[in-house]
Amino acid sequence: MASAHVDTFARDNLPPPALQPEFLFTLPELQFPAQLNCATELLDARVAAGEGGRTCITAPGGLRWTYADLQAQANRIANVLVNDLGLVPGNRVLLSAPNNPMLAAAWFGVIKAGGIAVATMPLLRAKELKPVIDKARITHALCDLRLADELKAAAAALPMLRHIRYFNDAGPDGLEAAMARQPATFNNVDTAADDTCILAFTSGTTGVPKATMHFHRDVMAACACWPRHVLRPRADDVFIGSPPLAFTFGLGGLLLFPMAVGASTVLLEKASPENFLEAIREHGATVLFTAPTSYRVLAAQGAALRGTTLRQCVSAGEALPAATRALWREATGIELIDGIGATELLHIFISADEAHARPGATGKAIPGYVACVLGEDGQPVPAGTVGRLAVKGPTGCRYLGDERQKSYVQDGWNLTGDAYLMDADGYFHYQSRTDDMIISAGYNIAGPEVEGALLAHPQVAECAVIGVPDAERGQIVKAFVVLRPDSPSGPEQVKALQDFVKQSIAPYKYPRAIEFVADLPRTGTGKLQRFRLRDQG
Ligand code: 3UK
């Protein structure tokens, strides 16, 4: 393979081969040529096949881009990067914007030019952007004008980031003005299949952020596995959802996967359960991607959703409680597709389609991946035993210059940090994050199981369960509960919820302490931050 990278920073900072996971390319669709540019495959090939007139991206306010439109925009951006801003292949380009068409065009522009796209969550402040820019040695940035202040503040202290252009900017210095001076054609850089094309930062909650490295081939592998074998979308599907494109759940679900089949995607800057219904109606959306908690909120509009075009719904990012699956099915008639993915593995690796869904289980290892549960000794444990989830497939963890590679990858396996059990049929059942397991009076208790029991109570909107220190038992189970409006919150309610839990799961797991709260702490990707609850006791 001939790397196209002139700037070799990414290759120089790959984990040493001995610390990389084993990669499996077992399926025929995972045989990739030595030279591969994923933008050519996902975008230019569609136009070359005569399908440039198909709708690719829509957005509120009537904007509609065909594949040919997106290609022209991305080509102009690639030309600006190379001709105006001196980008050479291998440079890292920061992308910062809410989900909108120009962000998608910028992503493809960077990839076409052989650059490495580093998309950041739109809510990041200067203080959080700095370590990202520093760690990825960012040289260029394309940023939504509305997020300019934070980027300027971050860049002031980091001289390496020299070239910034702002988009969704009508002014003479904006990216759009520069694009208008460039041709709408561009010869994509002939990258190697194993040239890095994205750096995805983990939504990690502590320490210096970790940057995961993904190759052109990894992007194509993600498109070839879960979408093709589990979701099975059609060319006339219209994708919609909430995860930011900076989160690989959103990048795949709301950009790469629709494009891999010639479908279209709706990019919403403000995506919340409150405005999904209207957007689904306006755009005729058929496939929805969001997190379990959104499905709980959105279920209230189930009757209205039944009358829409919506036909497939994907849940990921956090464990899907059986109560939420049931609530959604009763409200909308649609069986959720659950899937566990990780930034380190790019996208989903265990999942089940509607016909194979089992309440309380995430699913089975998807075609292309193998998964098992390992015990303390690093050996697989028998079915039904809880241990550490281990995965291998065509994608896997490569932390950019990071000691923590050793803890995520062991003996060729990717260890996701999740405690799981596999049943006799090969279904994987989520228990908890490995370090969230509660140990009370010698019992191992998985917080999410207790959460699942509480969520089945009609007055519980949301909840989080943690272990808090206890002199007698080591830890006791404590629940933080957000009640539905107008529910009582006195000692009788505490007792009622405790009794309710004892009826559905082993009584020793019941929450000995319950605190009613107005909301729960969450990350930008919507994950519960149990550590913050632990800090406050
Ligand atoms: C947890 C789940 C149970 C689990 C992601 C789909 O969430 C994604 O990536 P992150 O790096 O977090 C990974 C961790 O999140 N998790 C995600 N999905 C599930 N736990 N059931 C699930 N269905 O702890 C995992 O290790 O933020 C999800 C696609 C791409 C992604 N990056």
Side-chain angles (χ1 to χ4, degrees):
M1 293 192 211
S3 171
H5 285 183
V6 175
D7 173 346
T8 59
F9 171 76
R11 205 165 279 270
D12 297 343
N13 284 284
L14 279 169
L19 296 184
Q20 291 194 27
E22 186 186 340
F23 291 97
L24 307 175
F25 300 96
T26 46
L27 305 176
E29 54 269 38
L30 295 174
Q31 310 309 309
F32 299 110
Q35 303 304 124
L36 183 72
N37 184 317
C38 64
T40 308
E41 304 302 313
L42 292 169
L43 179 54
D44 303 85
R46 177 102 17 223
V47 179
E51 297 181 47
R54 294 184 64 82
T55 302
C56 182
I57 299 178
T58 62
L63 184 140
R64 172 181 169 272
W65 279 359
T66 62
Y67 279 80
D69 292 333
L70 177 63
Q71 183 189 44
Q73 297 283 47
N75 285 347
R76 290 183 192 276
I77 293 172
N79 281 315
V80 170
L81 286 168
V82 174
N83 302 336
D84 289 352
L85 307 179
L87 180 111
V88 298
N91 282 168
R92 278 77 51 213
V93 184
L94 187 87
L95 301 175
S96 183
N99 286 2
N100 60 42
M102 277 300 285
L103 175 61
W107 193 88
F108 277 101
V110 171
I111 306 286
K112 282 171 158 274
I116 299 175
V118 187
T120 55
M121 302 294 270
L123 291 176
L124 292 195
R125 312 300 298 261
K127 184 171 161 288
E128 298 150 312
L129 281 170
K130 268 191 218 165
V132 169
I133 296 169
D134 195 35
K135 172 107 206 172
R137 301 287 164 80
I138 303 280
T139 54
H140 298 69
L142 301 176
C143 175
D144 195 294
L145 184 62
R146 291 160 291 174
L147 302 177
D149 290 348
E150 297 297 330
L151 180 58
K152 279 181 187 156
L158 297 157
M160 170 146 217
L161 172 48
R162 286 186 309 270
H163 305 286
I164 307 181
R165 288 290 179 278
Y166 297 100
F167 56 84
N168 292 323
D169 177 356
D173 302 324
L175 178 63
E176 282 86 346
M179 288 163 68
R181 294 189 289 266
Q182 296 291 334
T185 54
F186 184 83
N187 283 330
N188 293 355
V189 170
D190 190 22
T191 43
D194 67 356
D195 277 333
T196 295
C197 67
I198 62 174
L199 294 180
F201 278 81
T202 62
S203 54
T205 41
T206 46
V208 185
K210 288 173 274 193
T212 65
M213 317 176 71
H214 298 290
F215 300 162
H216 287 267
R217 146 190 123 199
D218 301 329
V219 167
M220 297 319 296
C223 295
C225 290
W226 179 79
R228 184 192 300 216
H229 294 278
V230 181
L231 186 67
R232 296 187 300 272
R234 308 186 300 228
D236 62 355
D237 270 318
V238 178
F239 288 55
I240 198 167
S242 62
L245 299 184
F247 180 24
T248 62
F249 178 38
L251 179 69
L254 299 177
L255 190 63
L256 309 175
F257 301 165
M259 290 183 63
V261 294
S264 76
T265 185
V266 185
L267 295 180
L268 302 172
E269 294 196 340
K270 290 193 186 66
S272 68
E274 287 72 39
N275 59 20
F276 274 142
L277 176 63
E278 192 195 319
I280 289 167
R281 282 195 182 128
E282 180 187 341
H283 299 271
T286 57
V287 185
L288 174 64
F289 283 73
T290 190
T293 45
S294 289
Y295 285 110
R296 277 186 80 77
V297 178
L298 201 53
Q301 300 172 43
L305 284 162
R306 277 178 185 264
T308 68
T309 44
L310 193 62
R311 67 175 191 91
Q312 282 189 299
C313 298
V314 180
S315 170
E318 274 194 314
L320 174 67
T324 304
R325 176 184 283 289
L327 183 72
W328 187 252
R329 190 192 323 103
E330 281 150 25
T332 64
I334 299 172
E335 189 73 65
L336 281 168
I337 301 177
D338 187 9
I340 177 174
T343 309
E344 287 82 353
L345 284 123
L346 194 48
H347 220 273
I348 292 173
F349 46 85
I350 291 174
S351 183
D353 66 17
E354 298 91 331
H356 297 90
R358 270 196 195 178
T362 314
K364 296 186 181 186
I366 64 167
Y369 289 81
V370 292
C372 65
V373 176
L374 301 178
E376 290 301 325
D377 57 359
Q379 296 304 310
V381 294
T385 308
V386 176
R388 296 183 300 164
L389 180 65
V391 204
K392 273 180 204 175
T395 60
C397 177
R398 307 177 197 100
Y399 288 136
L400 175 108
D402 205 306
E403 278 299 307
R404 290 167 287 188
Q405 179 76 15
K406 286 198 192 79
S407 56
Y408 204 96
V409 176
Q410 290 174 21
D411 296 329
W413 291 99
N414 296 279
L415 301 176
T416 62
D418 297 296
Y420 258 87
L421 74 75
M422 189 182 78
D423 66 21
D425 301 327
Y427 277 83
F428 287 83
H429 300 247
Y430 178 81
Q431 309 294 309
S432 77
R433 292 288 300 169
T434 322
D435 42 18
D436 280 347
M437 197 60 95
I438 302 163
I439 304 169
S440 184
Y443 289 108
N444 275 348
I445 302 171
E449 187 186 3
V450 185
E451 290 163 11
L454 280 165
L455 287 172
H457 191 282
Q459 288 174 334
V460 174
E462 277 187 87
C463 66
V465 168
I466 61 164
V468 293
D470 178 76
E472 205 181 315
R473 296 171 183 270
Q475 282 186 311
I476 58 162
V477 176
K478 174 168 181 180
F480 292 82
V481 174
V482 181
L483 290 167
R484 293 202 186 278
D486 306 322
S487 309
S489 60
E492 299 78 22
Q493 180 73 302
V494 170
K495 175 84 170 53
L497 293 179
Q498 288 172 330
D499 289 345
F500 183 78
V501 170
K502 286 183 198 168
Q503 279 163 28
S504 71
I505 58 176
Y508 70 87
K509 298 174 181 170
Y510 86 95
R512 286 171 189 270
I514 294 185
E515 184 176 330
F516 298 111
V517 291
D519 48 38
L520 296 169
R522 292 191 180 275
T523 63
T525 55
K527 278 191 226 302
L528 206 53
Q529 293 174 304
R530 293 194 178 75
F531 77 99
R532 282 179 56 191
L533 293 170
R534 275 197 291 267
D535 289 349
Q536 76 188 57

